[in-house]
Amino acid sequence: MELDFERITQNPSVMGGKPCIRGMRVTVGMIVGQIGAGVSVEELLSEYPYLEREDVFQALRYAAY
């Protein structure tokens, strides 16, 4: 089974090449860390209005992969 991570980008000139959301300076690690610290998806979306719900879910799937 191959997963499609079209929202996850990696560019050496953005955040040192860490996996990011749609080329923005929001890393997969930041999202996973926030969820792990107890922040809800709704809180994340409120704090980062440029994120979309699927961005968060795809970051979690990417981290689990």
Side-chain angles (χ1 to χ4, degrees):
M1 178 172 117
E2 186 168 324
L3 298 176
D4 186 16
F5 296 112
E6 76 277 352
R7 292 173 181 260
I8 308 299
T9 57
Q10 286 184 277
N11 181 334
S13 64
V14 178
M15 300 300 286
K18 293 179 181 176
C20 293
I21 303 298
R22 295 183 285 124
M24 296 184 285
R25 300 181 70 78
V26 177
T27 65
V28 168
M30 183 280 294
I31 291 174
V32 172
Q34 291 288 315
I35 295 292
V39 176
S40 71
V41 173
E42 287 73 25
E43 289 171 314
L44 266 178
L45 295 174
S46 177
E47 290 179 33
Y48 302 92
Y50 42 85
L51 287 179
E52 298 172 5
R53 182 172 301 277
E54 184 56 30
D55 294 333
V56 176
F57 293 137
Q58 197 164 112
L60 294 172
R61 286 193 302 272
Y62 182 87
Y65 186 67

